[in-house]
Amino acid sequence: MKFRQILLLSLLFMLPASAWAQQPSEQIEIDYNSPKKYVVGGVSVEGNTYFSEDQILQLTGLRKGMEVTVPSEEISGIVNRLWHQRFFEDVAVAVDSLVPSRDTAYFKILIQERPRVSKWTFSGVKSGEQKELLERLNLRRGGVFSEYVKKTSIDIITRYFREKGFQNVKVEAYSKKDKVVANAVRVNFAVDRGQKVKIKKINFYGNKSLKENKLVRAMKKTKDNRFINFFNSKKFNEKEYENDKKNLISVFNEAGFRDARILRDSIYYMEPGRLGIDFYIDEGKKYYFRDVKWTGNSVYPTETLDEILMIRKGDPYDVVTLEKRLFGGGKQNEYDVSKLYRDNGYLFFNVQPVELNIEGDSVDVELRVVEGKPATLNNIIINGNDLTNERVIRRQVFTRPGYLFSQSDFERSIREIASMGQFDPEAIMDPNTGYSIIPNQMDNTVDIIYNVTEKPSSQLELSGGWGGNTFVATVGVSFNNFSTRRFFDKSAWRPVPLGDAQNLAFRFQTNGTYYTSLSASFSEPWLFGKKPTSLNLSLYYTRQTNSYLAFNVLNNDEFMEVYGFAAGLGTRLKWPDNYFVLYNQLSWQTYRLQDWRYQFMFDTGISHNLSYTISLSRNSTDQQIYPRQGSDFSLSLQLTPPYSLLRKKAWRMDPATGEYYQEKVKSWKDIDYSRQTPQQRYKWIEYHKWSFKGTVYTKLVGDLVLMARAQFGYLGYYNRNWGYSPFEGFRLGGDGMSGYDTYGSEIIALRGYENYSLTPMATDQSLSGNYYAGNVYDKFTVELRYPVVLQPQSTIYALLFLEGGNCWDDIRKFNPFQIKRSAGVGVRVFLPMIGLLGVDWGWGFDDPVNGGSQFHFVIGQQF
């Protein structure tokens, strides 16, 4: 009985459900001539693989409970929204079922997804080009291959090769089904670059006033085969061609031809792969400035603005130069009116030149000035410093919140960040991505954003060099972003604490038992954190024996040891300008010898070198690795106490016993040093050493840079009787590597000659044989540099050089025109983890024995 009751209740509950069952879709008939509204009972998706059902439903906008009309533009819009995503090959919306009352409908979204790309490949393309194309195309594995992707990719590849001069390039895209990955295709871009198209001849017609060579030079990227374009590319670039047509008109405008225009231009093939270009020009009439007036200027008087403008009545009507002197863009270090205002906070300054009157060949110009109000710096934002502490960057910049905006301070800040060594200098100097100036004219403030890009700054040096007739191996490590502040932070040791722009370096150099050198150094650019006062500490030890592995001679009884310490402080000055740095250093050095008879003053004994160095330097280069502009000058003086001028005792030898004793004398002039032993004479070394180095970088065209450098050094004495110091002299010639040198000499490179071969030798009977006696030198270098790669990972540039210099043993023999000349080519590669790598080939012209063809190779050291 109980079982029957339960069965009856179950049947009663099932009855409403069967009565309200959905009508199957195959029985549904939609009258498209009579649209009808339905309540959405539910939505399902069919055919999706990569996209989830929820993702597709969000795109459609359909949801349970809403009312839709079928058919309608609303349903068509759903299909279009899905179709425009470009992820689907086919899209449909169907009514899956209706309830019996036919007022509620269940919908189904039917899609067919496009196959995903499992691999993108290229044919007819070099490996380096393929990498660049992938970066431009931004193609990802797993992406869809639609007609849109196909068309845009072909366009990008075509433009890429046309920029390289392949104007007839053809690109096709082919796809084939992937046999391994389901619903996937492999896409290959087949490139037929064709013959490279170059410009053979450019003809100008109608230019009566300007010489043809001037027109040729005005076109920066469109060059033909004439001799003055020898170093320029002759490829045809359509985009640059349009810019050069504007440059062509500008050169006429600069000469006063205000109405100059190109009547027509024609491009044609003179032969396969070689173009001819004809320009037909209408110069028009030449115009001149008559009256130039300023209006609206109250901060600066008209006389001050006229001095910068430098335009006088009767000058050719040169609108190009006018705009450069108003808004900038002229020659390096050339001042302009806009910068005058912006350096004093007037960021919103504007000036509008207006032609008031044109009468005959004369033009009256009114310069309408809107000065605005001074802008105050608000937010200074620094992005991208993932490793370097933000305070380290902020102390370098000259833009501070609350200060008035200054264009010069902003440019100096960019230069300081680029010169730090922790960031990519090319990235921060890029006006598109390196920085942003965001003015707010409503409250007269401005925000500045510096977008820095960290680069590996620590260096590992593993080098081998040939110097001093021996092979020397070097191992060194330099942490150029060290942080002593985080020294006791365990989490910062990865592998060492970094982030404060300090430098900690260790270096080990050896030739086995013959030569060993150890050195350590530390530098802090901001000693107390608030002022740019630098601290530099260094400690070193060197030992050299008479062991010689080539002859299997191992002997440690004869040796020379050198050990020393140096500490220096550098301070940035405010006068004459804040590019100047005054540096002071105190150094101590001791030489200890035991039976050493190899080019030294004595064989057994000790010499001490206690010196003080003061130097004044000015460095305004725009960056460290590849400077394009600026200069670097330094003048230094290193001196020891004048011991010989303070002595009142002279060494005398007892003829009977042969022993030495000290005897008082009236004056230091009475001391005869020729009677002293070298150990007595050179126990305390004395000298004064003067050095000058000056380098100027000039950007010629684009990234082509001319570097000019001059150097001079002089090692002087206090007392002629005591003579020149055998220490701290100069050794000239070769690659500039020190080899196993421990003699306390400054090594000066001069390519094209053997190492030290231009250094004079001296002989002293009281000393142990011959020794280098370079007491005066000069050197002059001119380099033409051009970059091949300028990336954070590496910097590569090629160079041509002319070089000359000489070395003398006495200042009275110095002749700046008596130099040894050389010329050659080279390449430099800078890798952040290793440093600078260089190889040069030079030809020395003025020494048939030590000159001629010479290769110079170095790792971890700059020439």
Side-chain angles (χ1 to χ4, degrees):
M1 185 70 177
K2 186 175 182 181
F3 174 77
R4 292 179 180 176
Q5 291 176 347
I6 295 174
L7 180 61
L8 181 60
L9 289 172
S10 300
L11 292 173
L12 289 172
F13 278 106
M14 292 175 62
L15 182 61
S18 61
W20 291 95
Q22 300 171 14
Q23 185 176 346
S25 59
E26 56 267 16
Q27 299 177 5
I28 299 174
E29 293 182 1
I30 302 295
D31 186 358
Y32 288 91
N33 293 319
S34 302
K36 184 178 180 181
K37 284 189 177 181
Y38 295 97
V39 176
V40 178
V43 185
S44 60
V45 179
E46 186 177 297
N48 57 311
T49 302
Y50 295 104
F51 290 92
S52 67
E53 184 172 312
D54 289 339
Q55 288 176 311
I56 295 173
L57 291 179
Q58 286 179 359
L59 292 172
T60 64
L62 281 176
R63 61 184 182 276
K64 186 177 180 179
M66 67 181 293
E67 288 189 352
V68 295
T69 302
V70 180
S72 66
E73 292 184 0
E74 187 177 5
I75 298 298
S76 300
I78 292 173
V79 174
N80 289 333
R81 280 199 297 274
L82 291 173
W83 182 256
H84 288 156
Q85 301 301 314
R86 301 193 180 96
F87 296 124
F88 312 108
E89 288 186 340
D90 194 13
V91 178
V93 178
V95 177
D96 188 39
S97 61
L98 296 173
V99 298
S101 61
R102 303 184 68 85
D103 59 351
T104 300
Y106 290 82
F107 291 85
K108 180 180 290 186
I109 310 297
L110 303 169
I111 62 172
Q112 181 181 350
E113 294 180 335
R114 294 185 186 274
R116 298 301 175 102
V117 179
S118 60
K119 190 174 184 180
W120 303 92
T121 59
F122 298 86
S123 58
V125 174
K126 298 177 182 178
S127 58
E129 295 171 338
Q130 180 173 332
K131 183 178 179 181
E132 292 180 6
L133 285 172
L134 286 172
E135 291 177 355
R136 290 197 181 192
L137 294 169
N138 196 25
L139 298 174
R140 298 184 303 274
R141 186 178 178 182
V144 298
F145 185 62
S146 63
E147 284 298 320
Y148 173 79
V149 173
K150 177 180 177 180
K151 183 178 182 303
T152 55
S153 298
I154 289 176
D155 289 344
I156 292 172
I157 297 172
T158 301
R159 286 199 304 270
Y160 172 81
F161 281 99
R162 283 181 176 173
E163 289 173 4
K164 289 180 170 288
F166 298 97
Q167 298 300 317
N168 300 319
V169 62
K170 296 179 180 178
V171 183
E172 296 290 340
Y174 300 98
S175 63
K176 64 178 180 179
K177 187 176 181 181
D178 195 313
K179 298 179 180 179
V180 178
V181 182
N183 195 29
V185 294
R186 295 189 174 195
V187 178
N188 178 70
F189 293 101
V191 179
D192 179 10
R193 65 181 70 200
Q195 188 178 10
K196 200 169 199 177
V197 177
K198 294 185 178 181
I199 303 171
K200 184 176 182 180
K201 181 64 175 175
I202 300 177
N203 300 305
F204 300 94
Y205 301 99
N207 55 307
K208 301 175 183 178
S209 303
L210 300 183
K211 293 182 178 180
E212 189 169 293
N213 283 348
K214 189 169 186 179
L215 304 183
V216 171
R217 288 194 295 268
M219 301 175 71
K220 305 301 182 184
K221 298 293 184 179
T222 307
K223 303 289 186 179
D224 61 8
N225 274 338
R226 65 190 74 201
F227 181 75
I228 63 172
N229 297 329
F230 183 79
F231 293 103
N232 298 103
S233 172
K234 315 301 185 301
K235 68 182 181 182
F236 178 78
N237 187 315
E238 188 174 354
K239 180 179 178 181
E240 296 297 340
Y241 176 69
E242 294 301 321
N243 294 331
D244 278 334
K245 287 200 293 185
K246 298 176 183 177
N247 294 334
L248 189 60
I249 295 301
S250 293
V251 77
F252 281 98
N253 295 154
E254 288 179 6
F257 294 94
R258 171 182 176 271
D259 303 325
R261 60 195 179 103
I262 298 175
L263 297 175
R264 69 178 187 274
D265 60 297
S266 58
I267 303 172
Y268 53 91
Y269 281 98
M270 301 181 69
E271 56 187 76
R274 295 296 179 266
L275 292 178
I277 301 177
D278 293 339
F279 289 103
Y280 294 88
I281 300 166
D282 177 16
E283 289 183 347
K285 185 166 56 175
K286 187 172 183 177
Y287 291 84
Y288 300 88
F289 283 104
R290 187 167 63 182
D291 292 329
V292 179
K293 297 180 180 179
W294 296 86
T295 62
N297 57 303
S298 60
V299 177
Y300 295 102
T302 300
E303 293 76 12
T304 301
L305 302 181
D306 282 339
E307 287 179 5
I308 298 175
L309 192 64
M310 293 187 295
I311 293 178
R312 302 292 181 263
K313 184 177 182 179
D315 289 348
Y317 186 64
D318 180 358
V319 293
V320 176
T321 301
L322 173 67
E323 291 187 357
K324 288 179 179 178
R325 291 175 183 171
L326 289 176
F327 306 108
K331 295 181 180 179
Q332 181 180 338
N333 299 325
E334 209 173 51
Y335 215 53
D336 57 82
V337 175
S338 177
K339 192 171 184 180
L340 174 69
Y341 273 92
R342 290 164 72 95
D343 274 352
N344 288 276
Y346 291 89
L347 178 62
F348 309 110
F349 161 84
N350 190 24
V351 56
Q352 182 67 40
V354 178
E355 296 177 349
L356 286 183
N357 184 30
I358 301 176
E359 185 176 337
D361 61 355
S362 300
V363 182
D364 296 334
V365 178
E366 183 177 83
L367 302 173
R368 299 174 181 176
V369 175
V370 178
E371 294 176 332
K373 294 183 179 180
T376 304
L377 294 172
N378 187 22
N379 296 314
I380 308 299
I381 302 169
I382 299 172
N383 297 324
N385 54 313
D386 302 324
L387 179 62
T388 305
N389 293 324
E390 186 168 314
R391 62 181 182 83
V392 173
I393 308 172
R394 287 191 178 277
R395 71 191 185 190
Q396 294 292 133
V397 301
F398 286 71
T399 51
R400 309 287 174 84
Y403 287 19
L404 283 178
F405 175 83
S406 168
Q407 182 69 26
S408 295
D409 285 349
F410 169 71
E411 293 173 357
R412 178 68 183 276
S413 299
I414 295 295
R415 181 257 178 195
E416 291 295 323
I417 295 175
S419 301
M420 287 180 64
Q422 280 72 46
F423 308 107
D424 176 21
E426 301 298 326
I428 188 64
M429 296 173 69
D430 186 349
N432 297 318
T433 59
Y435 52 84
S436 300
I437 299 177
I438 306 174
N440 186 350
Q441 201 163 1
M442 297 297 293
D443 58 3
N444 297 310
T445 62
V446 57
D447 295 340
I448 297 180
I449 301 175
Y450 298 103
N451 299 312
V452 299
T453 303
E454 296 267 11
K455 70 172 186 178
S457 55
S458 298
Q459 296 178 4
L460 174 66
E461 182 183 0
L462 299 171
S463 66
W466 186 266
N469 298 319
T470 185
F471 181 82
V472 181
T474 303
V475 178
V477 61
S478 176
F479 302 104
N480 295 324
N481 200 3
F482 192 73
S483 174
T484 55
R485 190 174 58 89
R486 304 179 65 195
F487 192 85
F488 297 102
D489 183 1
K490 293 182 179 180
S491 62
W493 286 84
R494 297 179 299 176
V496 295
L498 300 173
D500 284 347
Q502 299 167 341
N503 177 270
L504 179 66
F506 300 95
R507 197 167 186 262
F508 174 68
Q509 198 173 29
T510 186
N511 177 256
T513 58
Y514 179 54
Y515 172 73
T516 302
S517 175
L518 295 168
S519 65
S521 64
F522 172 78
S523 65
E524 164 58 79
W526 289 62
L527 181 57
F528 301 109
K530 294 183 178 180
K531 292 184 178 181
T533 299
S534 63
L535 170 68
N536 297 276
L537 303 172
S538 62
L539 183 68
Y540 51 92
Y541 168 78
T542 303
R543 177 182 174 88
Q544 186 176 343
T545 72
N546 67 336
S547 300
Y548 202 70
L549 296 179
F551 297 99
N552 199 26
V553 176
L554 301 175
N555 190 347
N556 293 326
D557 296 335
E558 301 175 7
F559 64 86
M560 177 175 68
E561 293 179 331
V562 184
Y563 42 91
F565 173 79
L569 286 174
T571 303
R572 183 191 293 168
L573 304 179
K574 296 182 179 179
W575 184 89
D577 60 36
N578 55 16
Y579 287 105
F580 280 88
V581 174
L582 182 66
Y583 186 76
N584 298 271
Q585 178 177 284
L586 187 65
S587 61
W588 161 70
Q589 192 176 47
T590 294
Y591 294 83
R592 180 170 173 264
L593 291 84
Q594 179 67 45
D595 296 326
W596 189 255
R597 295 181 294 273
Y598 305 96
Q599 295 183 354
F600 210 78
M601 304 88 63
F602 51 83
D603 51 16
T604 300
I606 296 178
S607 286
H608 302 286
N609 182 4
L610 178 64
S611 67
Y612 165 74
T613 302
I614 181 172
S615 68
L616 181 66
S617 62
R618 185 184 188 275
N619 186 344
S620 62
T621 56
D622 56 349
Q623 57 168 289
Q624 292 179 341
I625 306 303
Y626 189 79
R628 296 177 177 84
Q629 59 187 16
S631 60
D632 187 2
F633 291 92
S634 67
L635 176 65
S636 66
L637 170 63
Q638 182 181 0
L639 68 163
T640 65
Y643 301 109
S644 65
L645 303 182
L646 304 175
R647 291 192 179 109
K648 295 298 178 67
K649 291 183 180 181
W651 286 96
R652 301 284 190 245
M653 185 178 69
D654 189 340
T657 62
E659 295 181 356
Y660 285 88
Y661 64 94
Q662 285 187 316
E663 182 180 78
K664 287 187 177 182
V665 293
K666 292 182 179 180
S667 171
W668 54 270
K669 298 180 181 179
D670 299 328
I671 300 176
D672 185 1
Y673 288 98
S674 63
R675 295 184 178 183
Q676 295 184 2
T677 65
Q679 292 90 333
Q680 296 166 349
R681 182 176 178 178
Y682 298 113
K683 183 176 182 179
W684 291 96
I685 304 162
E686 64 176 50
Y687 58 86
H688 53 89
K689 182 178 179 181
W690 302 78
S691 296
F692 169 79
K693 296 179 182 179
T695 307
V696 176
Y697 300 92
T698 304
K699 184 165 69 171
L700 300 178
V701 178
D703 288 327
L704 182 65
V705 175
L706 178 68
M707 186 276 291
R709 177 181 293 141
Q711 297 175 236
F712 172 80
Y714 168 59
L715 182 69
Y717 51 77
Y718 299 109
N719 184 348
R720 185 176 295 275
N721 294 332
W722 195 86
Y724 285 105
S725 168
F727 292 90
E728 298 298 331
F730 309 101
R731 297 190 189 181
L732 182 67
D735 53 26
M737 294 182 66
S738 61
Y740 67 94
D741 175 68
T742 58
Y743 196 61
S745 298
E746 185 175 343
I747 311 300
I748 310 297
L750 205 156
R751 293 161 285 188
Y753 296 92
E754 294 281 353
N755 285 354
Y756 316 152
S757 62
L758 303 180
T759 309
M761 299 292 293
T763 302
D764 193 327
Q765 298 299 326
S766 65
L767 304 182
S768 301
N770 299 332
Y771 64 94
Y772 288 106
N775 297 318
V776 187
Y777 89 96
D778 64 2
K779 178 187 171 186
F780 306 95
T781 304
V782 175
E783 285 185 358
L784 196 63
R785 301 176 173 182
Y786 190 79
V788 180
V789 176
L790 291 175
Q791 298 292 336
Q793 298 81 8
S794 64
T795 298
I796 304 174
Y797 63 89
L799 59 89
L800 301 172
F801 70 85
L802 297 173
E803 207 157 58
N806 209 345
C807 192
W808 298 267
D809 59 1
D810 195 289
I811 187 64
R812 291 169 293 186
K813 299 179 182 179
F814 173 68
N815 184 352
F817 302 104
Q818 185 185 6
I819 62 174
K820 307 293 185 181
R821 300 163 299 168
S822 67
V825 298
V827 66
R828 297 290 181 271
V829 179
F830 181 83
L831 302 175
M833 284 297 294
I834 298 176
L836 194 69
L837 316 178
V839 60
D840 281 341
W841 173 83
W843 182 275
F845 298 107
D846 300 314
D847 192 330
V849 177
N850 299 305
S853 177
Q854 299 285 340
F855 279 94
H856 305 287
F857 176 73
V858 70
I859 301 177
Q861 184 175 345
Q862 188 171 5
F863 289 99

